[in-house]
Amino acid sequence: MVTPSPFAPSFTDLPVSNILIVTLYCIHYLNRAIISPFFSAPSMSPIHVAIMSSAMLFNWFNSACLAGWLRGYTVPTIPSFHEASSRSPSRSAVTDLIPTVGVLLFVIGMAGNIYSETALFRLRREEAEKRTAKKADDETSAGQGNGNKYHKVYVIPPSRGVFRHILYPHYVFEWLEWIGFALAGTAVVPLSALPISVSASSVGIAPPLHLAPWLVPAAWVAGKLDVSLPLPAVVFVINAITNMLPHARWGRKWYVEKFGKKAVAGRGAVVPGCAWM
């Protein structure tokens, strides 16, 4: 746990790079939590309270970790790697481009994610309209039994465009989005690099954190590139992939059972041509 000083820097004290990462995060969740479910999706299935609670708990912990990091607090890690500084003479021009590349990947990933989901929503609407037209004389069938003709109307995307080789391109694009977020996060400035008037009174006390084995490579690469390790963002990427990948695998299996192997057309869930992924 990090115990911050009551004299922590305000939002306006933070460097532009930190504020930029905050903005990217907020833009993503503006789309994910408001625009997509309330304005884009034709309908949403009921969510079990346990799933909703676990999602809320994850987002609370995740946002708390990200917030501390973006406010400039750092946690020493074991193994320990060089803490980069923007004034380090060893930094190359390529290293300084990493945050820019990250922002570009974030934008591409978010655009691809929105495009893929919008395509799925459009296919569901079109299928619902077809069913409604065929059953226009039966009001109960036309209303899908609950007044929403889009309820429980599912389709398999045709094998073209972003769905040509995989069934869940929106998952892959979201992973790309968060990878870009982590790369952009290498530009986050820690408190130690802020002006003395801000950082001297903003002390974070934290014991060294023993990195999990799957986090050590990221720390090693950050040390080699002479950039700060965006640890909370890296953890977020890993959590996103390990959480969404099983859903994609289960979804492909469901597609095969509901629409048949011919409709799936040999597509993988997130890896082209891979039946188990």
Side-chain angles (χ1 to χ4, degrees):
M1 296 294 291
V2 176
T3 305
S5 163
F7 303 102
S10 66
F11 185 77
T12 55
D13 290 326
L14 296 177
V16 174
S17 56
N18 295 40
I19 296 175
L20 172 63
I21 307 305
V22 173
T23 303
L24 295 180
Y25 182 85
C26 292
I27 289 174
H28 170 85
Y29 277 102
L30 174 65
N31 174 69
R32 173 63 62 229
I34 298 177
I35 296 175
S36 181
F38 293 107
F39 298 99
S40 297
S43 68
M44 291 186 65
S45 297
I47 301 175
H48 193 279
V49 65
I51 296 177
M52 182 187 70
S53 299
S54 63
M56 292 174 63
L57 190 63
F58 166 78
N59 279 286
W60 186 86
F61 277 111
N62 184 56
S63 60
C65 292
L66 290 172
W69 166 58
L70 293 170
R71 286 290 294 273
Y73 294 106
T74 56
V75 178
T77 61
I78 299 176
S80 177
F81 292 90
H82 172 67
E83 185 67 25
S85 169
S86 60
R87 293 171 291 183
S88 173
S90 63
R91 288 173 66 90
S92 66
V94 174
T95 298
D96 289 333
L97 283 176
I98 291 176
T100 302
V101 172
V103 172
L104 290 175
L105 289 179
F106 181 92
V107 172
I108 293 171
M110 185 170 183
N113 179 267
I114 293 173
Y115 175 82
S116 303
E117 287 194 336
T118 302
L120 281 175
F121 296 155
R122 185 184 69 252
L123 290 170
R124 288 182 59 191
R125 288 191 177 92
E126 291 173 353
E127 179 64 21
E129 295 294 345
K130 290 179 182 178
R131 295 184 187 184
T132 301
K134 290 180 180 179
K135 301 178 181 179
D137 296 333
D138 187 342
E139 293 183 1
T140 302
S141 297
Q144 297 295 312
N146 69 343
N148 183 354
K149 62 184 178 182
Y150 303 113
H151 184 65
K152 295 294 184 181
V153 175
Y154 298 110
V155 296
I156 184 169
S159 181
R160 62 172 181 265
V162 292
F163 296 96
R164 180 177 297 277
H165 302 293
I166 56 177
L167 293 166
Y168 288 85
H170 44 306
Y171 281 21
V172 176
F173 278 121
E174 183 159 341
W175 297 342
L176 180 65
E177 186 180 351
W178 291 123
I179 290 172
F181 180 82
L183 292 176
T186 59
V188 168
V189 180
L191 286 176
S192 58
L194 295 179
I196 296 177
S197 60
V198 174
S199 61
S201 60
S202 306
V203 180
I205 303 172
L209 177 68
H210 289 264
L211 293 176
W214 50 87
L215 294 174
V216 173
W220 180 83
V221 171
K224 285 294 183 180
L225 293 176
D226 195 25
V227 296
S228 298
L229 172 65
L231 183 57
V234 172
V235 172
F236 189 11
V237 171
I238 294 174
N239 285 340
I241 294 175
T242 54
N243 175 58
M244 296 168 69
L245 182 57
H247 285 276
R249 294 186 61 192
W250 176 87
R252 186 188 186 279
K253 180 181 178 182
W254 180 83
Y255 273 131
V256 172
E257 293 174 351
K258 187 171 182 64
F259 299 101
K261 290 185 177 180
K262 184 177 180 180
V264 172
R267 287 174 286 178
V270 294
V271 178
C274 184
W276 58 276
M277 190 175 290

